[in-house]
């Protein structure tokens, strides 16, 4: 599997992303992807490809509202899926650029 990343592990070319690439990056991040992870990853990718930017946390939760149960659709639960930061890790695994506000 050949793809180029920046020094933080984000894909340099968004078109290099596949689900296999996502699995590889997730393993590097010590995350075993579940259907809930995939839902977030695909939601982020769809939004990014449509708008050329990542959604805010509030927008992401709104996008997920119809897709996951209310008890799981809040920032704390979603953050637990991606322990190093929802937007940071989910974006990396989704093959998207590093969020602007992430250090």
């Amino acid at each position: 599997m050949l793809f180029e990343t920046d020094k933080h592990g984000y894909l340099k070319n968004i078109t290099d992303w596949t689900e296999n690439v996502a699995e590889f990056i997730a393993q590097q991040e010590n995350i075993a992807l579940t259907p809930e992870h995939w839902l977030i990853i695909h939601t982020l990718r769809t939004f990014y490809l449509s708008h050329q930017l990542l959604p805010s946390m509030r927008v992401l939760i709104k996008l997920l509202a119809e897709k996951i149960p209310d008890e799981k659709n809040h920032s704390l639960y979603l953050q637990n899926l991606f322990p190093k930061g929802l937007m940071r890790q989910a974006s990396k695994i989704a093959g998207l650029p590093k969020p602007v506000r992430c250090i």
Side-chain angles (χ1 to χ4, degrees):
M1 190 174 337
L2 294 174
F3 54 90
E4 241 184 302
T5 62
D6 66 13
K7 66 181 181 177
H8 302 288
Y10 290 83
L11 287 182
K12 284 190 174 182
N13 185 350
I14 192 172
T15 60
D16 288 343
W17 187 87
T18 65
E19 288 190 356
N20 288 335
V21 169
E23 290 279 359
F24 179 81
I25 295 170
Q27 287 175 351
Q28 301 301 307
E29 294 289 314
N30 295 314
I31 294 176
L33 296 176
T34 66
E36 289 162 331
H37 288 97
W38 283 115
L39 178 63
I40 294 166
I41 290 165
H42 286 293
T43 300
L44 284 174
R45 283 191 62 81
T46 298
F47 187 91
Y48 185 86
L49 294 173
S50 295
H51 303 285
Q52 300 303 302
L53 62 107
L54 293 168
S56 66
M57 179 69 80
R58 183 175 295 188
V59 171
L60 179 60
I61 288 172
K62 195 172 189 177
L63 291 169
L64 294 171
E66 294 179 13
K67 300 174 184 178
I68 61 176
D70 287 343
E71 66 271 9
K72 293 182 178 181
N73 192 20
H74 56 83
S75 59
L76 183 58
Y77 178 81
L78 299 174
Q79 289 283 89
N80 286 332
L81 292 173
F82 298 93
K84 292 181 185 172
L86 171 64
M87 296 307 287
R88 182 181 310 147
Q89 280 188 306
S91 296
K92 183 185 283 188
I93 295 167
L96 303 173
K98 183 179 180 184
V100 176
R101 288 182 254 163
C102 289
I103 298 173

